[in-house]
Amino acid sequence: MPKYFPTIGIECHVQLKTKTKLFDGVDNDARDAAPNTLIGPLCFGLPGTLPVLNSKAVELCIRAGIALNAEVATYSKFDRKHYFYPDLPKGYQITQFDEPIVLNGRVDAVLASGEIVSVRVERAHLEEDAGKSTHPEGADYSLVDLNRAGTPLLEIVSFPDIHSAAHAKAYARELYLLMRYAGVSDADLFYGNMRFDVNVSICEDPSRLGTRSETKNLNSFRSVEKAVEYEIKRQTELLEKGEKVVQETRGWDDAKQKTFSQRSKEDAHDYRYFPEPDIPPVEIAPETIESIRNEMPSLPSGLREEFAKAGLAQSQIETLLDAPEAAEIMRLIVAGHDQKTARTIGNWLTGELQRLVAAEELSWVKVADSINRLVKLASMIDDGSLSSSAAKTVIVEMIMKGTDPEDIAKSSNLLQVSDESELVGIIEQVISNNSKAADDVKRGEVKAIGFLVGQVMRLSSGQANPSVVAELIRKQLAD
Ligand code: MN
C-alpha cells in the first residue's frame, strides 16, 4: 500500500456546439478563422452593448445535464466575475456563480477492463470564454485575438471522487464521450474544445484532504493522466522530505511531461462576483426538459448495453465508442441482424477497418455506405462460400468501389468450394496417396486429419472449404 492516499477532482470546460456566440450573433467556429475576424461590439466590450442569451446554448446545457445524469435547474442566473486580462476587454466574464444550470450529476466511466469508476458531478455552469493572448518570442509586445471571446462554455465540476491517474483519465474520456454522443460539443480536443483542470492532493489519512495543487488547461486524456501522476509523485517527494505542498495553480509542460508553478494562493483573484444586471434569470419549463429528454440520441451507456447483448467483447465496445461513426454503424447492424453477423462485422470494425481508417486509407463515411454489403460479406462466411481471411481481401475493394462482394470474390477466384461432388475426387486422390496418414486418422490421431486437409487445400489451389473437407475425409474413412 502506498503511504499517501491521492484525491482528485476535475473541472472541465466544454465548448458548446452553437452557430453563434453566447451573447452575440457572431459566428462561433474559430477553427480556421484569421485572428479578430469573428468579433462584434460585445467581444470588444464596447460601452452600451447589451448581451442577449443564445437559446441554443441553453438547450445544449439541458442535453448535457441529461447526459450527466444530473438535475437541470428550472431557475438559474448569470453573474459577473472580474478579471483584468488584456484578452477580456469587458473586465469581467459572464458566468454562473451560485445558481448554475446543472446540478448533482453522476458519471460512470468504464475502463477497457470493464471496471466502472463512478464520479459525482457537483455542478455545471454556463459561461463565456475569454480571448487568447500570444507573446511572440523576443518581441516587446503581445498579441490579442478575440475570436474566442464570448464562445459558450459549459464548466463541469466533479466532486473529489477520483483516486488514481488512470481513473482521472477514464473520467476525462467518459465526459468526452458523453458530450460528443449527446451532441453538446464537437469535442475536438485538438482545437481545445475540451480543457481539463485537475485538482490533486495527497494525505496519509484517506478520510482527510491534503493541500491541493490545480493544474490547468490540459487538452488530452493522456495529459490528464500524466499530470496527475506527476503531481502525486511531486507531492509525495515534498512530504517525504518534510516539506509542505503549497496551494497553487500550475501549468503542464507537455514536452517535458512536468507541471510547473504559475501562481500561488497569495496572488489569488478577488473576483468580486455580483449578479449580471443585463441578463434576466433563465427559467426553463419542466416540459421543455422532458421533451429534450425524449429526443436524446443514443448515449454510451445504452450503446454499451446493446453491443454487449450482441456478444461483443468489452474492449471492442470501448474501441467502437471512441469512434462515434463506427459505433453508429454497429448500432444499425445490431438493431437489424443476428448475433453472429453482428460479431463478424464488429470484428472488422474494431480490427481491419479501424486500422485502415487510422492509416487514412478508408473513411467511416465510406464504410457506412457499405452496411448492406458488409452484411452480405458476413453471410458469405456463414454459408461457407468465403473464408474469413479471403473476406478481408474482398472488404477494402468492396467498400472503396461499392462493388458487390460476391462479384469481387468470383473475379478474384476467392470463392470456396464446399460442394461435395467437386471435392470428392481430390479427397479420394489424397487418401490413396497418403495411406499412412489415412490409417492414422482411422486410429483417431487428431493431427493426421490436418495433414490430409492441407493436401486437399494444396491440390484445390486453396479454394476448398477446409471444414467441409475435414468432414468429407472423416466420412470417407469411416465408410
Ligand atoms: Mn470557468
Side-chain angles (χ1 to χ4, degrees):
M1 275 296 282
K3 186 168 165 193
Y4 300 99
F5 187 72
T7 299
I8 300 134
I10 295 181
E11 288 158 28
C12 173
H13 286 91
V14 182
Q15 185 178 326
L16 301 178
K17 194 158 82 175
T18 55
K19 253 193 93 52
T20 54
K21 294 192 180 183
L22 186 50
F23 303 115
D24 197 343
V26 177
D27 197 333
N28 187 38
D29 186 0
R31 280 179 294 187
D32 300 314
N36 296 308
T37 53
L38 305 178
I39 46 177
L42 209 70
C43 309
F44 271 120
L46 293 185
T49 51
L50 287 172
V52 178
L53 179 59
N54 183 337
S55 62
K56 182 69 186 178
V58 174
E59 186 205 313
L60 294 180
C61 287
I62 298 172
R63 293 163 79 108
I66 293 166
L68 293 168
N69 290 304
E71 291 162 29
V72 177
T74 50
Y75 177 95
S76 64
K77 74 175 204 352
F78 288 96
D79 301 273
R80 292 186 179 183
K81 184 182 186 183
H82 295 80
Y83 294 93
F84 295 95
Y85 288 155
D87 49 25
L88 189 68
K90 291 199 306 299
Y92 58 86
Q93 176 194 32
I94 303 177
T95 181
Q96 297 186 309
F97 180 50
D98 53 350
E99 306 226 42
I101 191 161
V102 171
L103 287 158
N104 298 326
R106 198 192 70 247
V107 170
D108 289 328
V110 179
L111 281 74
S113 64
E115 187 192 343
I116 292 172
V117 183
S118 209
V119 180
R120 289 168 304 148
V121 170
E122 186 186 340
R123 56 182 277 157
H125 58 261
L126 181 56
E127 63 185 24
E128 59 175 346
D129 206 349
K132 196 172 83 182
S133 297
T134 41
H135 314 287
E137 225 178 295
D140 60 354
Y141 56 84
S142 291
L143 297 167
V144 173
D145 175 10
L146 294 176
N147 280 353
R148 217 177 55 188
T151 282
L153 301 176
L154 184 68
E155 180 177 339
I156 303 167
V157 182
S158 88
F159 277 104
D161 285 352
I162 303 165
H163 301 287
S164 77
H167 288 184
K169 181 189 185 189
Y171 170 74
R173 170 180 173 261
E174 197 67 37
L175 276 189
Y176 162 85
L177 292 180
L178 288 169
M179 294 304 111
R180 207 160 162 190
Y181 280 85
V184 169
S185 172
D186 290 323
D188 189 329
L189 301 177
F190 178 79
Y191 286 105
N193 286 174
M194 284 182 91
R195 308 190 300 261
F196 302 94
D197 304 338
V198 296
N199 289 282
V200 181
S201 68
I202 60 170
C203 192
E204 274 190 87
D205 177 357
S207 68
R208 290 178 48 237
L209 292 174
T211 305
R212 68 165 199 265
S213 67
E214 179 176 24
T215 305
K216 280 196 169 290
N217 279 323
L218 301 160
N219 59 8
S220 70
F221 313 142
R222 196 181 148 74
S223 60
V224 166
E225 182 181 33
K226 291 294 159 191
V228 170
E229 234 167 54
Y230 184 86
E231 275 304 295
I232 293 173
K233 185 165 161 278
R234 184 184 71 85
Q235 295 181 17
T236 301
E237 284 167 5
L238 281 174
L239 297 186
E240 284 297 283
K241 279 190 286 186
E243 292 175 25
K244 278 190 175 148
V245 175
V246 187
Q247 186 176 333
E248 63 183 348
T249 302
R250 299 180 70 86
W252 173 246
D253 185 329
D254 205 51
K256 293 187 184 147
Q257 296 279 296
K258 281 179 170 179
T259 65
F260 58 91
S261 178
Q262 280 183 326
R263 55 174 199 259
S264 68
K265 201 187 174 188
E266 280 74 59
D267 31 73
H269 294 274
D270 172 9
Y271 295 123
R272 294 180 297 128
Y273 279 105
F274 67 80
E276 167 60 63
D278 291 337
I279 306 171
V282 183
E283 291 186 60
I284 305 171
E287 305 83 67
T288 307
I289 300 169
E290 282 322 298
S291 82
I292 292 175
R293 191 188 301 280
N294 292 334
E295 280 161 27
M296 286 292 282
S298 299
L299 293 175
S301 55
L303 291 170
R304 283 185 176 109
E305 220 169 281
E306 284 178 43
F307 295 170
K309 259 192 225 152
L312 297 193
Q314 182 69 47
S315 62
Q316 284 184 309
I317 295 173
E318 297 310 316
T319 303
L320 283 169
L321 289 177
D322 281 332
E325 305 94 327
E328 176 59 13
I329 296 168
M330 196 68 232
R331 192 185 66 79
L332 294 170
I333 302 277
V334 165
H337 301 278
D338 57 35
Q339 268 213 12
K340 200 168 179 190
T341 306
R343 272 210 305 272
T344 303
I345 295 176
N347 286 335
W348 291 331
L349 290 174
T350 56
E352 191 69 359
L353 296 177
Q354 136 97 16
R355 194 182 61 73
L356 290 166
V357 170
E360 292 181 5
E361 286 175 40
L362 214 61
S363 70
W364 288 123
V365 177
K366 275 273 182 198
V367 179
D369 288 341
S370 287
I371 288 185
N372 292 335
R373 288 182 285 272
L374 284 168
V375 171
K376 182 164 179 189
L377 189 62
S379 75
M380 288 172 72
I381 298 179
D382 282 351
D383 68 21
S385 57
L386 204 62
S387 72
S388 39
S389 60
K392 282 186 188 154
T393 321
V394 171
I395 202 166
V396 176
E397 186 181 342
M398 176 189 95
I399 291 169
M400 290 308 288
K401 296 187 183 158
T403 319
D404 183 84
E406 202 174 339
D407 293 347
I408 302 171
K410 258 185 212 152
S411 65
S412 315
N413 246 341
L414 289 168
L415 283 181
Q416 289 194 127
V417 180
S418 305
D419 189 352
E420 184 170 351
S421 63
E422 284 182 57
L423 293 172
V424 76
I426 305 177
I427 288 171
E428 276 169 2
Q429 192 190 334
V430 165
I431 287 175
S432 71
N433 289 351
N434 299 280
S435 51
K436 184 175 174 304
D439 287 342
D440 289 347
V441 172
K442 282 186 193 163
R443 281 203 315 275
E445 266 192 48
V446 189
K447 271 188 193 159
I449 190 124
F451 172 76
L452 293 177
V453 171
Q455 296 303 307
V456 175
M457 294 306 289
R458 198 169 59 81
L459 285 178
S460 72
S461 313
Q463 287 187 294
N465 180 336
S467 53
V468 172
V469 170
E471 204 171 300
L472 290 175
I473 291 174
R474 268 193 217 100
K475 198 170 123 194
Q476 282 259 339
L477 293 176
D479 289 347

